[in-house]
mmCIF file of all heavy atoms in Angstrom:
data_model
loop_
_atom_site.group_PDB
_atom_site.id
_atom_site.type_symbol
_atom_site.label_atom_id
_atom_site.label_comp_id
_atom_site.label_asym_id
_atom_site.label_seq_id
_atom_site.Cartn_x
_atom_site.Cartn_y
_atom_site.Cartn_z
ATOM 1 N N GLU A 1062 0.918 -7.256 -11.141
ATOM 2 C CA GLU A 1062 2.305 -7.539 -11.494
ATOM 3 C C GLU A 1062 3.317 -6.606 -10.753
ATOM 4 O O GLU A 1062 4.537 -6.890 -10.744
ATOM 5 C CB GLU A 1062 2.518 -7.388 -13.022
ATOM 6 C CG GLU A 1062 2.294 -5.967 -13.568
ATOM 7 C CD GLU A 1062 0.902 -5.708 -14.031
ATOM 8 O OE1 GLU A 1062 0.003 -6.481 -13.621
ATOM 9 O OE2 GLU A 1062 0.745 -4.759 -14.844
ATOM 10 N N LYS A 1063 2.808 -5.574 -10.102
ATOM 11 C CA LYS A 1063 3.708 -4.700 -9.333
ATOM 12 C C LYS A 1063 4.016 -5.264 -7.917
ATOM 13 O O LYS A 1063 4.878 -4.725 -7.262
ATOM 14 C CB LYS A 1063 3.072 -3.293 -9.211
ATOM 15 C CG LYS A 1063 2.900 -2.620 -10.551
ATOM 16 C CD LYS A 1063 4.215 -2.458 -11.322
ATOM 17 C CE LYS A 1063 3.987 -1.719 -12.613
ATOM 18 N NZ LYS A 1063 5.261 -1.569 -13.372
ATOM 19 N N GLY A 1064 3.343 -6.358 -7.551
ATOM 20 C CA GLY A 1064 3.693 -7.020 -6.268
ATOM 21 C C GLY A 1064 3.414 -6.219 -5.022
ATOM 22 O O GLY A 1064 4.043 -6.450 -3.977
ATOM 23 N N LEU A 1065 2.436 -5.293 -5.055
ATOM 24 C CA LEU A 1065 2.219 -4.437 -3.928
ATOM 25 C C LEU A 1065 1.632 -5.198 -2.735
ATOM 26 O O LEU A 1065 1.817 -4.785 -1.587
ATOM 27 C CB LEU A 1065 1.281 -3.290 -4.320
ATOM 28 C CG LEU A 1065 1.878 -2.368 -5.443
ATOM 29 C CD1 LEU A 1065 0.924 -1.222 -5.775
ATOM 30 C CD2 LEU A 1065 3.226 -1.816 -4.974
ATOM 31 N N ALA A 1066 0.889 -6.275 -2.958
ATOM 32 C CA ALA A 1066 0.397 -7.078 -1.868
ATOM 33 C C ALA A 1066 1.594 -7.596 -1.025
ATOM 34 O O ALA A 1066 1.512 -7.670 0.230
ATOM 35 C CB ALA A 1066 -0.460 -8.230 -2.379
ATOM 36 N N PHE A 1067 2.630 -8.014 -1.690
ATOM 37 C CA PHE A 1067 3.839 -8.532 -0.969
ATOM 38 C C PHE A 1067 4.512 -7.342 -0.215
ATOM 39 O O PHE A 1067 5.013 -7.552 0.928
ATOM 40 C CB PHE A 1067 4.842 -9.155 -1.956
ATOM 41 C CG PHE A 1067 4.335 -10.339 -2.633
ATOM 42 C CD1 PHE A 1067 3.800 -10.262 -3.923
ATOM 43 C CD2 PHE A 1067 4.349 -11.604 -2.012
ATOM 44 C CE1 PHE A 1067 3.356 -11.401 -4.565
ATOM 45 C CE2 PHE A 1067 3.868 -12.746 -2.665
ATOM 46 C CZ PHE A 1067 3.387 -12.633 -3.919
ATOM 47 N N LEU A 1068 4.469 -6.169 -0.762
ATOM 48 C CA LEU A 1068 5.100 -5.039 -0.072
ATOM 49 C C LEU A 1068 4.305 -4.646 1.191
ATOM 50 O O LEU A 1068 4.945 -4.387 2.208
ATOM 51 C CB LEU A 1068 5.134 -3.817 -1.037
ATOM 52 C CG LEU A 1068 5.752 -2.544 -0.515
ATOM 53 C CD1 LEU A 1068 7.185 -2.771 -0.073
ATOM 54 C CD2 LEU A 1068 5.661 -1.447 -1.596
ATOM 55 N N ILE A 1069 2.994 -4.734 1.088
ATOM 56 C CA ILE A 1069 2.200 -4.425 2.266
ATOM 57 C C ILE A 1069 2.477 -5.438 3.400
ATOM 58 O O ILE A 1069 2.686 -5.114 4.545
ATOM 59 C CB ILE A 1069 0.731 -4.331 1.908
ATOM 60 C CG1 ILE A 1069 0.443 -3.120 1.113
ATOM 61 C CG2 ILE A 1069 -0.179 -4.427 3.193
ATOM 62 C CD1 ILE A 1069 -0.994 -3.069 0.561
ATOM 63 N N GLU A 1070 2.515 -6.740 3.020
ATOM 64 C CA GLU A 1070 2.754 -7.759 3.961
ATOM 65 C C GLU A 1070 4.159 -7.666 4.573
ATOM 66 O O GLU A 1070 4.386 -7.876 5.759
ATOM 67 C CB GLU A 1070 2.607 -9.198 3.291
ATOM 68 C CG GLU A 1070 2.792 -10.294 4.284
ATOM 69 C CD GLU A 1070 2.625 -11.653 3.566
ATOM 70 O OE1 GLU A 1070 2.221 -11.698 2.366
ATOM 71 O OE2 GLU A 1070 2.882 -12.685 4.186
ATOM 72 N N ALA A 1071 5.167 -7.347 3.739
ATOM 73 C CA ALA A 1071 6.515 -7.213 4.160
ATOM 74 C C ALA A 1071 6.774 -6.151 5.170
ATOM 75 O O ALA A 1071 7.569 -6.281 6.095
ATOM 76 C CB ALA A 1071 7.439 -7.122 2.956
ATOM 77 N N THR A 1072 6.062 -5.024 5.003
ATOM 78 C CA THR A 1072 6.275 -3.885 5.895
ATOM 79 C C THR A 1072 5.474 -3.864 7.179
ATOM 80 O O THR A 1072 5.694 -3.109 8.054
ATOM 81 C CB THR A 1072 6.052 -2.565 5.110
ATOM 82 O OG1 THR A 1072 4.685 -2.569 4.582
ATOM 83 C CG2 THR A 1072 7.008 -2.400 3.956
ATOM 84 N N GLU A 1073 4.461 -4.734 7.245
ATOM 85 C CA GLU A 1073 3.574 -4.711 8.423
ATOM 86 C C GLU A 1073 4.260 -4.783 9.745
ATOM 87 O O GLU A 1073 3.979 -4.060 10.701
ATOM 88 C CB GLU A 1073 2.527 -5.795 8.317
ATOM 89 C CG GLU A 1073 1.457 -5.757 9.405
ATOM 90 C CD GLU A 1073 0.287 -6.617 9.115
ATOM 91 O OE1 GLU A 1073 0.324 -7.391 8.157
ATOM 92 O OE2 GLU A 1073 -0.708 -6.485 9.842
ATOM 93 N N PRO A 1074 5.269 -5.740 9.925
ATOM 94 C CA PRO A 1074 5.946 -5.789 11.258
ATOM 95 C C PRO A 1074 7.013 -4.727 11.477
ATOM 96 O O PRO A 1074 7.573 -4.673 12.607
ATOM 97 C CB PRO A 1074 6.631 -7.180 11.222
ATOM 98 C CG PRO A 1074 6.285 -7.814 9.937
ATOM 99 C CD PRO A 1074 5.795 -6.767 9.054
ATOM 100 N N LEU A 1075 7.367 -3.920 10.478
ATOM 101 C CA LEU A 1075 8.432 -3.026 10.556
ATOM 102 C C LEU A 1075 7.964 -1.659 11.103
ATOM 103 O O LEU A 1075 6.827 -1.210 10.905
ATOM 104 C CB LEU A 1075 9.060 -2.824 9.168
ATOM 105 C CG LEU A 1075 9.636 -4.042 8.533
ATOM 106 C CD1 LEU A 1075 10.234 -3.710 7.175
ATOM 107 C CD2 LEU A 1075 10.680 -4.714 9.421
ATOM 108 N N ASP A 1076 8.848 -0.976 11.810
ATOM 109 C CA ASP A 1076 8.546 0.330 12.417
ATOM 110 C C ASP A 1076 8.783 1.466 11.350
ATOM 111 O O ASP A 1076 9.795 2.167 11.432
ATOM 112 C CB ASP A 1076 9.406 0.580 13.678
ATOM 113 C CG ASP A 1076 9.045 1.910 14.334
ATOM 114 O OD1 ASP A 1076 7.937 2.416 14.131
ATOM 115 O OD2 ASP A 1076 9.902 2.360 15.115
ATOM 116 N N LEU A 1077 7.931 1.566 10.383
ATOM 117 C CA LEU A 1077 8.069 2.551 9.322
ATOM 118 C C LEU A 1077 6.713 2.713 8.666
ATOM 119 O O LEU A 1077 5.808 1.950 8.870
ATOM 120 C CB LEU A 1077 9.116 2.072 8.310
ATOM 121 C CG LEU A 1077 9.080 0.679 7.741
ATOM 122 C CD1 LEU A 1077 8.023 0.482 6.691
ATOM 123 C CD2 LEU A 1077 10.432 0.321 7.124
ATOM 124 N N ASP A 1078 6.649 3.802 7.840
ATOM 125 C CA ASP A 1078 5.430 4.099 7.093
ATOM 126 C C ASP A 1078 5.618 3.626 5.634
ATOM 127 O O ASP A 1078 6.706 3.672 5.086
ATOM 128 C CB ASP A 1078 5.119 5.599 7.113
ATOM 129 C CG ASP A 1078 4.686 6.067 8.504
ATOM 130 O OD1 ASP A 1078 4.219 5.226 9.274
ATOM 131 O OD2 ASP A 1078 4.863 7.269 8.749
ATOM 132 N N LEU A 1079 4.520 3.193 5.017
ATOM 133 C CA LEU A 1079 4.540 2.830 3.617
ATOM 134 C C LEU A 1079 3.517 3.743 2.906
ATOM 135 O O LEU A 1079 2.379 3.850 3.223
ATOM 136 C CB LEU A 1079 4.036 1.356 3.448
ATOM 137 C CG LEU A 1079 3.822 0.851 1.996
ATOM 138 C CD1 LEU A 1079 5.150 0.973 1.248
ATOM 139 C CD2 LEU A 1079 3.286 -0.579 2.055
ATOM 140 N N VAL A 1080 4.127 4.394 1.857
ATOM 141 C CA VAL A 1080 3.288 5.367 1.031
ATOM 142 C C VAL A 1080 3.124 4.792 -0.325
ATOM 143 O O VAL A 1080 4.075 4.541 -1.064
ATOM 144 C CB VAL A 1080 4.010 6.743 1.001
ATOM 145 C CG1 VAL A 1080 3.141 7.720 0.252
ATOM 146 C CG2 VAL A 1080 4.377 7.218 2.366
ATOM 147 N N LEU A 1081 1.830 4.623 -0.758
ATOM 148 C CA LEU A 1081 1.494 4.098 -2.064
ATOM 149 C C LEU A 1081 0.794 5.210 -2.853
ATOM 150 O O LEU A 1081 -0.322 5.575 -2.515
ATOM 151 C CB LEU A 1081 0.671 2.837 -1.957
ATOM 152 C CG LEU A 1081 1.211 1.695 -1.126
ATOM 153 C CD1 LEU A 1081 0.248 0.534 -1.112
ATOM 154 C CD2 LEU A 1081 2.567 1.228 -1.665
ATOM 155 N N LEU A 1082 1.395 5.649 -3.922
ATOM 156 C CA LEU A 1082 0.856 6.744 -4.733
ATOM 157 C C LEU A 1082 0.451 6.190 -6.079
ATOM 158 O O LEU A 1082 1.270 5.533 -6.756
ATOM 159 C CB LEU A 1082 1.838 7.857 -4.888
ATOM 160 C CG LEU A 1082 1.362 9.082 -5.689
ATOM 161 C CD1 LEU A 1082 2.062 10.352 -5.139
ATOM 162 C CD2 LEU A 1082 1.721 8.935 -7.211
ATOM 163 N N GLY A 1083 -0.773 6.439 -6.526
ATOM 164 C CA GLY A 1083 -1.194 6.005 -7.817
ATOM 165 C C GLY A 1083 -2.615 5.550 -7.835
ATOM 166 O O GLY A 1083 -3.399 5.857 -6.942
ATOM 167 N N ASP A 1084 -2.973 4.720 -8.849
ATOM 168 C CA ASP A 1084 -4.284 4.195 -8.979
ATOM 169 C C ASP A 1084 -4.187 2.985 -9.894
ATOM 170 O O ASP A 1084 -3.172 2.697 -10.547
ATOM 171 C CB ASP A 1084 -5.227 5.213 -9.589
ATOM 172 C CG ASP A 1084 -6.656 4.976 -9.328
ATOM 173 O OD1 ASP A 1084 -6.990 3.913 -8.745
ATOM 174 O OD2 ASP A 1084 -7.512 5.792 -9.658
ATOM 175 N N GLY A 1085 -5.296 2.219 -9.943
ATOM 176 C CA GLY A 1085 -5.348 1.055 -10.806
ATOM 177 C C GLY A 1085 -6.387 0.102 -10.345
ATOM 178 O O GLY A 1085 -7.019 0.251 -9.290
ATOM 179 N N PRO A 1086 -6.539 -1.017 -11.086
ATOM 180 C CA PRO A 1086 -7.617 -2.012 -10.757
ATOM 181 C C PRO A 1086 -7.457 -2.683 -9.451
ATOM 182 O O PRO A 1086 -8.462 -3.236 -8.936
ATOM 183 C CB PRO A 1086 -7.482 -2.979 -11.944
ATOM 184 C CG PRO A 1086 -6.088 -2.839 -12.484
ATOM 185 C CD PRO A 1086 -5.787 -1.387 -12.292
ATOM 186 N N ASP A 1087 -6.288 -2.719 -8.836
ATOM 187 C CA ASP A 1087 -6.106 -3.418 -7.574
ATOM 188 C C ASP A 1087 -6.271 -2.505 -6.347
ATOM 189 O O ASP A 1087 -5.980 -2.922 -5.196
ATOM 190 C CB ASP A 1087 -4.702 -4.078 -7.509
ATOM 191 C CG ASP A 1087 -4.690 -5.380 -8.354
ATOM 192 O OD1 ASP A 1087 -5.659 -5.655 -9.013
ATOM 193 O OD2 ASP A 1087 -3.636 -6.034 -8.290
ATOM 194 N N ARG A 1088 -6.643 -1.264 -6.566
ATOM 195 C CA ARG A 1088 -6.687 -0.306 -5.466
ATOM 196 C C ARG A 1088 -7.558 -0.845 -4.308
ATOM 197 O O ARG A 1088 -7.126 -0.790 -3.136
ATOM 198 C CB ARG A 1088 -7.228 1.037 -5.997
ATOM 199 C CG ARG A 1088 -7.230 2.114 -4.883
ATOM 200 C CD ARG A 1088 -7.708 3.456 -5.393
ATOM 201 N NE ARG A 1088 -7.709 4.455 -4.294
ATOM 202 C CZ ARG A 1088 -6.646 5.141 -3.963
ATOM 203 N NH1 ARG A 1088 -5.525 5.020 -4.586
ATOM 204 N NH2 ARG A 1088 -6.743 6.052 -2.978
ATOM 205 N N SER A 1089 -8.800 -1.279 -4.569
ATOM 206 C CA SER A 1089 -9.736 -1.724 -3.521
ATOM 207 C C SER A 1089 -9.076 -2.899 -2.762
ATOM 208 O O SER A 1089 -9.212 -2.930 -1.486
ATOM 209 C CB SER A 1089 -11.070 -2.082 -4.145
ATOM 210 O OG SER A 1089 -11.686 -0.961 -4.715
ATOM 211 N N ASP A 1090 -8.516 -3.832 -3.453
ATOM 212 C CA ASP A 1090 -7.915 -5.033 -2.768
ATOM 213 C C ASP A 1090 -6.745 -4.549 -1.849
ATOM 214 O O ASP A 1090 -6.604 -5.075 -0.785
ATOM 215 C CB ASP A 1090 -7.448 -6.006 -3.821
ATOM 216 C CG ASP A 1090 -6.756 -7.155 -3.216
ATOM 217 O OD1 ASP A 1090 -7.426 -7.987 -2.506
ATOM 218 O OD2 ASP A 1090 -5.496 -7.362 -3.398
ATOM 219 N N LEU A 1091 -5.946 -3.646 -2.331
ATOM 220 C CA LEU A 1091 -4.815 -3.145 -1.569
ATOM 221 C C LEU A 1091 -5.254 -2.395 -0.306
ATOM 222 O O LEU A 1091 -4.684 -2.544 0.772
ATOM 223 C CB LEU A 1091 -3.921 -2.281 -2.403
ATOM 224 C CG LEU A 1091 -3.219 -2.950 -3.548
ATOM 225 C CD1 LEU A 1091 -2.463 -1.982 -4.422
ATOM 226 C CD2 LEU A 1091 -2.269 -4.093 -3.111
ATOM 227 N N ILE A 1092 -6.325 -1.596 -0.421
ATOM 228 C CA ILE A 1092 -6.876 -0.967 0.720
ATOM 229 C C ILE A 1092 -7.331 -1.943 1.740
ATOM 230 O O ILE A 1092 -7.138 -1.749 2.974
ATOM 231 C CB ILE A 1092 -7.999 0.040 0.269
ATOM 232 C CG1 ILE A 1092 -7.380 1.187 -0.491
ATOM 233 C CG2 ILE A 1092 -8.749 0.561 1.501
ATOM 234 C CD1 ILE A 1092 -8.428 2.125 -1.091
ATOM 235 N N HIS A 1093 -7.950 -2.976 1.256
ATOM 236 C CA HIS A 1093 -8.494 -4.071 2.186
ATOM 237 C C HIS A 1093 -7.306 -4.775 2.883
ATOM 238 O O HIS A 1093 -7.410 -5.146 4.058
ATOM 239 C CB HIS A 1093 -9.266 -5.073 1.384
ATOM 240 C CG HIS A 1093 -9.786 -6.253 2.197
ATOM 241 N ND1 HIS A 1093 -10.788 -6.111 3.100
ATOM 242 C CD2 HIS A 1093 -9.354 -7.564 2.216
ATOM 243 C CE1 HIS A 1093 -11.041 -7.271 3.688
ATOM 244 N NE2 HIS A 1093 -10.175 -8.156 3.168
ATOM 245 N N ARG A 1094 -6.147 -4.942 2.208
ATOM 246 C CA ARG A 1094 -5.004 -5.660 2.789
ATOM 247 C C ARG A 1094 -4.182 -4.681 3.717
ATOM 248 O O ARG A 1094 -3.405 -5.214 4.509
ATOM 249 C CB ARG A 1094 -4.083 -6.136 1.688
ATOM 250 C CG ARG A 1094 -4.676 -7.239 0.848
ATOM 251 C CD ARG A 1094 -3.769 -7.496 -0.360
ATOM 252 N NE ARG A 1094 -4.180 -8.596 -1.185
ATOM 253 C CZ ARG A 1094 -3.835 -9.872 -1.080
ATOM 254 N NH1 ARG A 1094 -3.017 -10.229 -0.090
ATOM 255 N NH2 ARG A 1094 -4.324 -10.778 -1.918
ATOM 256 N N ALA A 1095 -4.271 -3.424 3.593
ATOM 257 C CA ALA A 1095 -3.403 -2.521 4.201
ATOM 258 C C ALA A 1095 -3.421 -2.540 5.715
ATOM 259 O O ALA A 1095 -4.461 -2.680 6.351
ATOM 260 C CB ALA A 1095 -3.712 -1.087 3.703
ATOM 261 N N HIS A 1096 -2.223 -2.409 6.306
ATOM 262 C CA HIS A 1096 -2.142 -2.242 7.772
ATOM 263 C C HIS A 1096 -2.243 -0.759 8.100
ATOM 264 O O HIS A 1096 -2.276 0.135 7.208
ATOM 265 C CB HIS A 1096 -0.885 -2.846 8.309
ATOM 266 C CG HIS A 1096 0.397 -2.428 7.551
ATOM 267 N ND1 HIS A 1096 1.074 -1.261 7.887
ATOM 268 C CD2 HIS A 1096 1.072 -2.977 6.563
ATOM 269 C CE1 HIS A 1096 2.138 -1.157 7.124
ATOM 270 N NE2 HIS A 1096 2.189 -2.215 6.330
ATOM 271 N N HIS A 1097 -2.210 -0.435 9.401
ATOM 272 C CA HIS A 1097 -2.528 0.975 9.807
ATOM 273 C C HIS A 1097 -1.452 1.944 9.389
ATOM 274 O O HIS A 1097 -1.712 3.201 9.508
ATOM 275 C CB HIS A 1097 -2.792 1.002 11.306
ATOM 276 C CG HIS A 1097 -1.533 0.824 12.165
ATOM 277 N ND1 HIS A 1097 -0.855 -0.424 12.289
ATOM 278 C CD2 HIS A 1097 -0.810 1.743 12.871
ATOM 279 C CE1 HIS A 1097 0.174 -0.245 13.085
ATOM 280 N NE2 HIS A 1097 0.270 1.031 13.406
ATOM 281 N N ARG A 1098 -0.278 1.521 8.967
ATOM 282 C CA ARG A 1098 0.788 2.475 8.618
ATOM 283 C C ARG A 1098 0.971 2.593 7.096
ATOM 284 O O ARG A 1098 1.980 3.094 6.632
ATOM 285 C CB ARG A 1098 2.085 2.050 9.309
ATOM 286 C CG ARG A 1098 2.010 2.058 10.815
ATOM 287 C CD ARG A 1098 3.325 1.993 11.490
ATOM 288 N NE ARG A 1098 4.139 3.156 11.305
ATOM 289 C CZ ARG A 1098 5.317 3.371 11.944
ATOM 290 N NH1 ARG A 1098 5.720 2.472 12.842
ATOM 291 N NH2 ARG A 1098 6.015 4.465 11.732
ATOM 292 N N VAL A 1099 -0.051 2.153 6.341
ATOM 293 C CA VAL A 1099 0.004 2.333 4.898
ATOM 294 C C VAL A 1099 -0.823 3.581 4.555
ATOM 295 O O VAL A 1099 -1.960 3.794 5.049
ATOM 296 C CB VAL A 1099 -0.671 1.142 4.176
ATOM 297 C CG1 VAL A 1099 -0.632 1.389 2.682
ATOM 298 C CG2 VAL A 1099 0.117 -0.138 4.497
ATOM 299 N N GLN A 1100 -0.209 4.467 3.772
ATOM 300 C CA GLN A 1100 -0.863 5.718 3.375
ATOM 301 C C GLN A 1100 -1.033 5.663 1.845
ATOM 302 O O GLN A 1100 -0.124 5.433 1.104
ATOM 303 C CB GLN A 1100 0.037 6.903 3.701
ATOM 304 C CG GLN A 1100 0.370 7.038 5.209
ATOM 305 C CD GLN A 1100 1.458 8.053 5.419
ATOM 306 O OE1 GLN A 1100 1.736 8.924 4.612
ATOM 307 N NE2 GLN A 1100 2.062 7.987 6.639
ATOM 308 N N PHE A 1101 -2.288 5.872 1.424
ATOM 309 C CA PHE A 1101 -2.581 5.890 -0.009
ATOM 310 C C PHE A 1101 -2.671 7.415 -0.453
ATOM 311 O O PHE A 1101 -3.394 8.162 0.166
ATOM 312 C CB PHE A 1101 -3.926 5.211 -0.270
ATOM 313 C CG PHE A 1101 -3.832 3.713 -0.165
ATOM 314 C CD1 PHE A 1101 -4.023 3.097 1.024
ATOM 315 C CD2 PHE A 1101 -3.490 2.932 -1.296
ATOM 316 C CE1 PHE A 1101 -3.959 1.694 1.193
ATOM 317 C CE2 PHE A 1101 -3.437 1.524 -1.162
ATOM 318 C CZ PHE A 1101 -3.660 0.895 0.072
ATOM 319 N N GLN A 1102 -1.983 7.686 -1.536
ATOM 320 C CA GLN A 1102 -2.013 9.046 -2.107
ATOM 321 C C GLN A 1102 -2.477 8.983 -3.520
ATOM 322 O O GLN A 1102 -2.105 8.041 -4.292
ATOM 323 C CB GLN A 1102 -0.608 9.695 -1.966
ATOM 324 C CG GLN A 1102 -0.097 9.906 -0.570
ATOM 325 C CD GLN A 1102 1.248 10.562 -0.535
ATOM 326 O OE1 GLN A 1102 1.770 10.968 -1.610
ATOM 327 N NE2 GLN A 1102 1.775 10.810 0.639
ATOM 328 N N PRO A 1103 -3.308 10.012 -3.936
ATOM 329 C CA PRO A 1103 -3.770 10.008 -5.327
ATOM 330 C C PRO A 1103 -2.666 10.359 -6.294
ATOM 331 O O PRO A 1103 -1.613 10.951 -5.906
ATOM 332 C CB PRO A 1103 -4.835 11.127 -5.311
ATOM 333 C CG PRO A 1103 -4.383 11.992 -4.165
ATOM 334 C CD PRO A 1103 -3.806 11.086 -3.115
ATOM 335 N N GLU A 1104 -2.830 9.876 -7.513
ATOM 336 C CA GLU A 1104 -1.760 10.116 -8.527
ATOM 337 C C GLU A 1104 -1.570 11.618 -8.731
ATOM 338 O O GLU A 1104 -2.499 12.420 -8.557
ATOM 339 C CB GLU A 1104 -2.162 9.435 -9.812
ATOM 340 C CG GLU A 1104 -3.504 9.927 -10.347
ATOM 341 C CD GLU A 1104 -3.888 9.214 -11.630
ATOM 342 O OE1 GLU A 1104 -3.049 9.130 -12.532
ATOM 343 O OE2 GLU A 1104 -5.015 8.706 -11.702
ATOM 344 N N LEU A 1105 -0.338 11.959 -9.091
ATOM 345 C CA LEU A 1105 0.003 13.340 -9.326
ATOM 346 C C LEU A 1105 0.265 13.617 -10.810
ATOM 347 O O LEU A 1105 0.680 12.698 -11.549
ATOM 348 C CB LEU A 1105 1.331 13.707 -8.590
ATOM 349 C CG LEU A 1105 1.272 13.826 -7.051
ATOM 350 C CD1 LEU A 1105 2.669 13.938 -6.508
ATOM 351 C CD2 LEU A 1105 0.398 14.946 -6.596
ATOM 352 N N PRO A 1106 0.018 14.831 -11.295
ATOM 353 C CA PRO A 1106 0.462 15.140 -12.627
ATOM 354 C C PRO A 1106 1.970 14.931 -12.758
ATOM 355 O O PRO A 1106 2.682 15.158 -11.763
ATOM 356 C CB PRO A 1106 0.082 16.638 -12.814
ATOM 357 C CG PRO A 1106 -0.975 16.861 -11.756
ATOM 358 C CD PRO A 1106 -0.647 15.903 -10.626
#
């Protein structure tokens, strides 16, 4: 429901970095979809 797959797709052609911080059931799927400028960060206190 957070729509992160759309965010990854939307940013792929753009000259910028995408930083995704957190965790959840869709993590593996998002990593599979990610382009080379997506950075995954673990959740913080």
Side-chain angles (χ1 to χ4, degrees):
E1062 65 268 19
K1063 297 302 181 180
L1065 299 179
F1067 295 99
L1068 181 59
I1069 289 174
E1070 182 181 354
T1072 56
E1073 184 167 9
L1075 301 179
D1076 182 21
L1077 47 77
D1078 291 337
L1079 174 61
V1080 183
L1081 304 179
L1082 181 149
D1084 202 354
D1087 283 6
R1088 182 180 180 85
S1089 296
D1090 178 66
L1091 294 174
I1092 290 174
H1093 177 73
R1094 292 173 179 267
H1096 52 83
H1097 72 285
R1098 299 192 68 171
V1099 180
Q1100 303 169 15
F1101 288 88
Q1102 295 184 2
E1104 57 183 311
L1105 290 173

